């Protein structure tokens, strides 16, 4: 086994991997909102089987989005009427061209406010022809956002046990403002508790039967609702509106391509739990016994559901959520636009999706505050997820007051025959199974250099059943992982190649 310089580990052990366990239709009775979201083609959305020769894409047309030049007038967002006509005309012509190109092209969504564009399903063979269309400025094949999950409290249970005394609402001082009032321009007074504000929750939906939102608060009430059908119990006094833009079976990463196609409906009932959790944090109404109120309990909530019952979501659906936030009833009058939207979703490592980034910028220009999670993958230092990396979005990280992770950090221990035990900071990679789920993974460290080339037979023999120690640089982490895995390593560690933090 090669000797290695333990001093290099004092800077930072960058990534710890466990390689041994990692392998590299719409109803005819659709609501007016759904019809407008899909333009004249809402009825074309179908749940029929789709072959794997198709793709989902978001098309940007050449005219600017309506909110890109929107102005405020007497507190109301106004769009340019001439631009609105230009956008409508261009979309009509583009849709006609697409239908003429192939009857297999289907329109999923139309966007006017945050993006002048279309979301489509089309045959792969037509990709270049679609890009070359006279009205098309840019085509982006759909990217995915991983599903947000509710936090596993685990070792932080003690810190959150007495959350009536110590919680985020108290920590930021929001509770102190709830009893205050401010005088408005017209002389009236309004409480500083979110009253008069509309907040859209772009997430897994909201359980509007929950007691914190004025529902009956029973399991039976929740189970009695069919998620894909409109229900008389929605909207409520607290959950004032919303839409399901995904449908129960939607999953943008499903192995069955037909599930990549959203099937919107009028019922944004939460089938995952995360959106309800977020909504409670934002504006839930506590009973003072088992629950406490959210940050802005006076605000009205809108459930903008962009996830199915399982799996991921994609750009087409998320941008549709942003479009809904700008003009929920799609009538061009923006008096009903969201004041704030919350997006606790994103792609890891800040991977940008060009068109939804543009959509967020335009939505903010139109007067809506966009709040996005800094990440949804746990306590990973230096890693910020998109869309919170968009300059116009407010990026917010999670925290638990008095939690040990406020001062502790993830570490890896190295034991050597001569230098004893050494602890150093570790940042866990996301391209393999989490170490916590991988079970016991141990072995001797074998230094392999940059792992930018296939290993020699001698080095492969040394690596079998051991842990590869790899220098950072030259090739991607994924390439390094594959070489270590192919050589039979049970895990590998990537060491930073310079002093300082893992990411600049």
């Amino acid at each position: 086994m090669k000797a290695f310089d333990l001093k290099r580990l004092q800077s930072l052990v960058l990534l710890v991997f466990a390689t041994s366990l990692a392998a590299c239709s719409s109803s005819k009775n659709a609501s007016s909102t759904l019809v407008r979201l899909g333009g004249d083609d809402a009825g074309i959305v179908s749940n029929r089987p789709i072959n794997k020769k198709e793709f989902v894409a978001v098309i940007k047309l050449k005219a600017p989005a309506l909110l890109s030049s929107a102005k405020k007038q007497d507190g109301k967002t106004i769009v340019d009427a001439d631009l609105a006509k230009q956008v409508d005309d261009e979309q009509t012509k583009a849709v006609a061209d697409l239908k003429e190109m192939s009857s297999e092209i289907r329109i999923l969504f139309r966007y006017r406010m945050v993006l002048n564009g279309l979301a489509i399903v089309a045959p792969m063979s037509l990709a270049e022809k679609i890009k070359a269309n006279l009205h098309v400025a840019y085509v982006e094949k759909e990217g995915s956002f991983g599903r947000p999950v509710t936090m596993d409290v685990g070792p932080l249970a003690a810190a959150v046990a007495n959350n009536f005394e110590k919680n985020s609402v108290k920590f930021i001082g929001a509770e102190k403002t709830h009893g205050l009032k401010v005088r408005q321009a017209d002389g009236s007074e309004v409480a500083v508790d979110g009253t008069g504000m509309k907040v859209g929750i772009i997430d897994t939906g909201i359980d509007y039967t929950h007691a914190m939102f004025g529902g009956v608060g029973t399991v039976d009430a929740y189970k009695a609702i069919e998620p894909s059908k409109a229900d008389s119990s929605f909207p409520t006094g607290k959950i004032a509106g919303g839409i399901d833009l995904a449908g129960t079976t939607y999953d943008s990463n499903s192995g069955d391509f037909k599930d990549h196609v959203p099937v919107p409906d009028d019922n944004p009932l939460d089938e995952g739990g995360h959106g309800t959790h977020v909504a409670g944090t934002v504006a839930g109404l506590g009973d003072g016994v088992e629950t406490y109120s959210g940050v802005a309990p006076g605000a009205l909530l809108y459930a903008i559901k962009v996830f199915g019952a399982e799996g991921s979501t994609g750009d087409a659906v998320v941008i549709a959520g942003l479009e809904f936030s700008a003009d929920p009833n799609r009538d061009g009058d923006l008096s009903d636009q969201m004041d704030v939207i919350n997006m606790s979703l994103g792609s890891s490592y800040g991977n940008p999706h060009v068109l939804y980034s543009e959509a967020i910028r335009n939505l903010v220009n139109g007067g809506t505050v966009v709040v996005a999670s800094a990440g949804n993958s746990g306590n990973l230092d230096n890693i910020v997820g998109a869309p919170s990396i968009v300059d116009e979005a407010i990026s917010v990280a999670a925290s638990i007051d008095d939690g040990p992770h406020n001062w502790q950090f993830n570490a890896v221990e190295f034991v050597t025959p001569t230098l004893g035990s050494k602890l150093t900071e570790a940042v866990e990679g996301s391209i393999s199974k989490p170490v916590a789920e991988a079970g016991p993974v141990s072995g001797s460290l074998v230094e392999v250099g940059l792992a930018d080339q296939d290993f020699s037979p001698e080095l492969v023999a040394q690596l079998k059943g051991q842990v590869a120690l790899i220098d950072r640089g030259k090739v991607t982490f994924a390439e390094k992982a594959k070489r270590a895995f192919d050589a039979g390593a049970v895990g590998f560690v990537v060491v930073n190649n310079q002093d300082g933090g893992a990411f600049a």
Side-chain angles (χ1 to χ4, degrees):
M1 180 186 301
K2 287 186 179 181
F4 62 89
D5 182 3
L6 192 63
K7 290 183 179 179
R8 287 186 299 150
L9 301 178
Q10 292 177 341
S11 168
L12 177 81
V13 173
L14 177 65
L15 295 164
V16 183
F17 299 85
T19 57
S20 62
L21 297 176
C24 294
S25 101
S26 294
S27 165
K28 292 182 179 179
N29 298 319
S31 71
S32 58
T33 299
L34 292 181
V35 170
R36 294 190 186 100
L37 278 170
D40 298 330
D41 305 282
I44 208 167
V45 178
S46 170
N47 60 3
R48 68 179 176 82
I50 302 173
N51 64 54
K52 294 182 180 180
K53 295 181 179 180
E54 294 178 294
F55 68 99
V56 177
V58 178
I59 298 175
K60 177 185 175 182
L61 303 182
K62 292 184 176 179
L66 298 187
L67 288 183
S68 65
S69 60
K71 306 294 182 183
K72 282 286 185 180
Q73 182 176 321
D74 298 326
K76 183 179 177 181
T77 304
I78 305 296
V79 299
D80 186 294
D82 292 336
L83 179 58
K85 185 178 186 306
Q86 181 184 353
V87 167
D88 287 344
D89 289 347
E90 186 175 46
Q91 289 195 9
T92 297
K93 292 174 182 177
V95 170
D97 287 353
L98 291 172
K99 287 184 175 180
E100 184 177 348
M101 199 177 296
S102 172
S103 60
E104 294 183 56
I105 297 176
R106 286 158 295 148
I107 311 298
L108 300 179
F109 299 109
R110 293 190 187 210
Y111 317 114
R112 300 169 68 245
M113 295 294 170
V114 300
L115 196 72
N116 174 23
L118 309 167
I120 66 168
V121 176
M124 286 283 192
S125 60
L126 294 177
E128 294 304 316
K129 192 173 182 180
I130 291 170
K131 290 179 183 178
N133 182 267
L134 174 66
H135 305 289
V136 173
Y138 180 74
V139 178
E140 186 169 82
K141 289 187 179 180
E142 184 173 59
S144 290
F145 298 91
R147 187 179 190 82
V149 295
T150 53
M151 182 177 179
D152 179 13
V153 175
L156 301 177
V160 301
N162 190 15
N163 57 13
F164 279 93
E165 294 299 322
K166 296 179 179 180
N167 58 62
S168 294
V169 178
K170 288 179 180 289
F171 182 73
I172 66 174
E175 190 177 63
K176 296 178 180 179
T177 71
H178 293 170
L180 302 178
K181 292 185 177 181
V182 294
R183 191 179 303 278
Q184 302 186 99
D186 62 3
S188 63
E189 291 187 337
V190 62
V192 188
D193 64 354
T195 297
M197 302 291 286
K198 298 186 291 290
V199 181
I201 307 297
I202 299 182
D203 212 291
T204 60
I206 300 177
D207 175 12
Y208 47 81
T209 72
H210 199 288
M212 289 191 74
F213 309 117
V216 296
T218 65
V219 174
D220 288 343
Y222 175 81
K223 290 183 175 180
I225 296 175
E226 170 54 54
S228 61
K229 297 179 180 178
D231 193 271
S232 60
S233 60
F234 174 80
T236 70
K238 186 64 175 177
I239 315 297
I243 191 170
D244 180 356
L245 294 164
T248 294
T249 62
Y250 174 71
D251 177 2
S252 64
N253 272 339
S254 171
D256 188 343
F257 189 81
K258 79 176 191 309
D259 294 334
H260 292 213
V261 180
V263 185
D265 60 65
D266 282 329
N267 189 347
L269 184 70
D270 190 355
E271 297 179 79
H274 188 270
T276 300
H277 171 81
V278 171
T281 301
V282 172
L285 300 171
D287 60 11
V289 179
E290 294 184 353
T291 57
Y292 59 91
S293 294
V295 173
L300 293 178
L301 293 168
Y302 288 74
I304 306 171
K305 183 177 178 180
V306 296
F307 287 89
E310 297 179 354
S312 302
T313 190
D315 292 338
V317 176
V318 172
I319 294 174
L322 298 173
E323 182 80 6
F324 178 91
S325 303
D327 186 12
N329 62 6
R330 299 281 289 181
D331 64 354
D333 180 350
L334 303 189
S335 59
D336 57 347
Q337 73 180 110
M338 298 295 105
D339 297 297
V340 181
I341 62 165
N342 185 90
M343 305 174 69
S344 290
L345 52 83
S347 59
S348 299
Y349 293 92
N351 292 327
H353 301 210
V354 173
L355 294 183
Y356 80 67
S357 297
E358 180 177 336
I360 287 174
R361 284 193 292 271
N362 288 331
L363 184 60
V364 172
N365 186 64
T368 297
V369 175
V370 175
V371 181
S373 61
N376 276 298
S377 302
N379 185 29
L380 300 179
D381 295 336
N382 308 304
I383 297 173
V384 179
S388 75
I389 58 171
V390 178
D391 288 345
E392 291 78 5
I394 298 175
S395 178
V396 181
S399 67
I400 293 182
D401 309 322
D402 294 329
H405 73 275
N406 291 334
W407 56 271
Q408 292 179 345
F409 60 88
N410 293 328
V412 61
E413 180 180 17
F414 296 89
V415 180
T416 70
T418 57
L419 299 178
S421 175
K422 176 70 177 179
L423 283 177
T424 188
E425 184 180 1
V427 177
E428 187 171 349
S430 66
I431 61 174
S432 68
K433 193 166 186 175
V435 172
E437 300 176 12
V441 178
S442 63
S444 298
L445 286 173
V446 179
E447 190 172 19
V448 299
L450 287 167
D452 58 328
Q453 298 179 12
D454 290 342
F455 300 138
S456 67
E458 294 78 14
L459 192 52
V460 169
Q462 292 181 51
L463 274 173
K464 188 173 181 60
Q466 306 301 337
V467 177
L469 183 69
I470 306 176
D471 291 329
R472 183 180 182 181
K474 201 164 184 179
V475 297
T476 66
F477 297 138
E479 290 179 68
K480 296 175 188 291
K482 186 176 188 305
R483 288 195 172 94
F485 179 77
D486 289 346
V490 297
F492 71 102
V493 176
V494 178
V495 184
N496 209 10
N497 56 355
Q498 61 185 22
D499 292 337
F503 299 96

